Amino acid sequence: MKISRKTFGILSNGKKVYLYTLKAGDLSLSLSSYGAVWTSLIVPSGKGPAADILLGYSGFASYTGNKPYLGATIGRFGNRIGNACFTLDGRAYTLYQNDGQHSLHGGRRGFDKRCWKTECYEEKDGVFVRFELESPDGEEGYPGNLKAAVSYGLAKSNEIIVNYEASSDAPTPVNLTNHSYFNLSGEGSGDILSHEVVLYASSRVEVDKNLIPTGKLVPVENTPFDFRTRKSIQKDYMAAGGGYDHCFVLDGEKGALRPCAEVFEPGSGRVMRVFATQPGVQFYTGNFLDGIAGKAGSVYNKHAGFCLETQHFPDTPNRPEFPPAVFGPGKDYHEKAVFAFDW
Ligand code: BGC
């Protein structure tokens, strides 16, 4: 096992950004202190050479204008908040509208655009980087001084271990997630439509045409959203509206680390299994990717990668019927996810 660090870039305010590389088992994961971004993940294949399976950019500069949130850690609240406002304890809060009239992924300057404090550590079975930041009361319109910490670790067992934590001195919505785009045949190798997927979800969050929840959780049975038995993304994606960008309701007990998804790529034989404690997972098939200049000449177009963003449901701050996502004094936020690889 090994952790190394190098300078990744320098921000206009003179602050140094670091790139960490974790090696354990057969994997190598690189992460940046800017945006707590996963920049690359090298995974072997039983059928050919190892490949970097994460979409990303060639150099640091592009990460400061990372519109599709490639690899980024998202906060204070991942996914959409309808009409960029919510009411908490009788008080109305207004957020920045960065998705039409709605708020997406933390607003104008979410956690993906922040420099995180970092600390590396080693445990018996893995190597970790812990990222921390403070988000002051009123930042991006949210109440409460929030301390957030995310640790990303690589275990000898070829798993990425994710621990999300946050505490606040006043009640506030929190929904942290990671926005990595995977292509299990290697970034830049075309679309992900032939990947085969299982989602451990019997229902999904119904959304309107702007991807804002209607409040209903609808069964996936007999719909293009049924991934309870393995099927290719290709099979029903047109019937689903030309790709998936939906939050699935994970079966099993919320708060327990339980199966979330499994993705298999027939060409390379690579498999990724995801486990999560959160109530849901946003399955996004890169529908809005359009000519993104990626790593070493790669160009990412529609469906060049997919995301599995483990999370609370979108628009929870306006949906009392959803599992609550308000944390604060006496109620810290703790969630966990695991991404396990095989080939
Ligand atoms: C959302 C997409 C959005 C993408 C990039 C995903 O989490 O579900 O609608 O386009 O993030 O912002």
Side-chain angles (χ1 to χ4, degrees), residues 94-105:
T94 305
L95 310 170
Y96 186 76
Q97 303 179 341
N98 62 335
D99 184 63
Q101 74 209 64
H102 311 295
S103 173
L104 177 68
H105 295 335

Side-chain angles (χ1 to χ4, degrees), residues 251-317:
D251 293 339
E253 194 192 334
K254 279 191 304 294
L257 190 68
R258 60 207 193 285
C260 163
E262 194 173 310
V263 185
F264 170 67
E265 198 282 303
S268 62
R270 292 190 183 97
V271 182
M272 177 169 84
R273 292 188 182 88
V274 184
F275 302 83
T277 57
Q278 292 99 326
V281 64
Q282 184 82 7
F283 178 45
Y284 173 53
T285 51
N287 311 343
F288 300 118
L289 291 174
D290 184 13
I292 302 290
K295 291 173 186 169
S298 296
V299 177
Y300 305 138
N301 286 312
K302 202 169 183 174
H303 310 313
F306 68 90
C307 304
L308 285 165
E309 307 156 51
T310 64
Q311 60 184 245
H312 278 264
F313 302 158
D315 205 26
T316 294

Side-chain angles (χ1 to χ4, degrees), residues 68-84:
Y69 302 87
L70 303 185
T73 297
I74 307 287
R76 186 179 296 200
F77 198 93
N79 216 320
R80 292 176 172 82
I81 297 183
N83 297 315

Side-chain angles (χ1 to χ4, degrees), residues 50-340:
D52 183 353
I53 63 158
L54 290 184
L55 273 56
Y57 305 103
S58 286
F60 168 65
S62 308
Y63 282 97
T64 60
N66 181 5
K67 289 220 173 72
Y69 302 87
L70 303 185
T73 297
I74 307 287
R76 186 179 296 200
F77 198 93
N79 216 320
R80 292 176 172 82
I81 297 183
N83 297 315
C85 62
F86 64 91
T87 302
L88 183 59
D89 297 333
R91 220 185 118 179
Y93 294 91
T94 305
L95 310 170
Y96 186 76
Q97 303 179 341
N98 62 335
D99 184 63
Q101 74 209 64
H102 311 295
S103 173
L104 177 68
H105 295 335
R108 190 183 58 87
R109 184 167 177 257
F111 292 1
D112 59 293
K113 296 176 188 70
R114 297 277 309 271
C115 252
W116 295 65
K117 262 196 254 164
T118 50
E119 189 198 337
C120 298
Y121 59 98
E122 193 166 326
E123 288 184 354
K124 193 164 87 21
D125 296 318
V127 275
F128 293 79
V129 187
R130 180 180 164 89
F131 295 90
E132 283 182 8
L133 61 69
E134 292 187 12
S135 171
D137 179 34
E139 187 180 52
E140 291 294 329
Y142 290 97
N145 292 296
L146 185 88
K147 288 187 177 157
V150 181
S151 72
Y152 292 128
L154 197 55
K156 283 180 188 162
S157 49
N158 297 320
E159 293 172 313
I160 298 176
I161 316 283
V162 180
N163 278 297
Y164 298 106
E165 292 165 43
S167 60
S168 168
D169 61 2
T172 182
V174 180
N175 191 19
L176 307 179
T177 192
N178 179 275
H179 208 291
S180 286
Y181 289 70
F182 300 90
N183 184 325
L184 298 186
S185 66
E187 63 77 31
S189 66
D191 67 51
I192 44 75
L193 295 176
S194 63
H195 286 48
E196 297 172 9
V197 175
V198 177
L199 295 176
Y200 294 90
S202 308
S203 56
R204 68 174 176 96
V205 177
E206 187 183 67
V207 287
D208 68 14
K209 62 175 188 340
N210 295 316
L211 303 176
I212 304 299
T214 62
K216 275 199 222 149
L217 306 180
V218 290
V220 296
E221 191 164 16
N222 298 322
T223 75
F225 300 93
D226 194 347
F227 281 96
R228 289 171 303 166
T229 45
R230 196 160 100 178
K231 72 175 178 192
S232 72
I233 297 173
Q234 176 92 55
K235 184 159 184 285
D236 291 329
Y237 83 112
M238 286 311 290
Y244 296 90
D245 192 359
H246 298 86
C247 188
F248 288 75
V249 179
L250 294 176
D251 293 339
E253 194 192 334
K254 279 191 304 294
L257 190 68
R258 60 207 193 285
C260 163
E262 194 173 310
V263 185
F264 170 67
E265 198 282 303
S268 62
R270 292 190 183 97
V271 182
M272 177 169 84
R273 292 188 182 88
V274 184
F275 302 83
T277 57
Q278 292 99 326
V281 64
Q282 184 82 7
F283 178 45
Y284 173 53
T285 51
N287 311 343
F288 300 118
L289 291 174
D290 184 13
I292 302 290
K295 291 173 186 169
S298 296
V299 177
Y300 305 138
N301 286 312
K302 202 169 183 174
H303 310 313
F306 68 90
C307 304
L308 285 165
E309 307 156 51
T310 64
Q311 60 184 245
H312 278 264
F313 302 158
D315 205 26
T316 294
N318 291 309
R319 289 287 169 194
E321 62 273 48
F322 288 173
V326 171
F327 300 88
K331 195 182 176 206
D332 289 349
Y333 167 92
H334 288 279
E335 300 290 357
K336 181 170 178 155
V338 172
F339 295 76

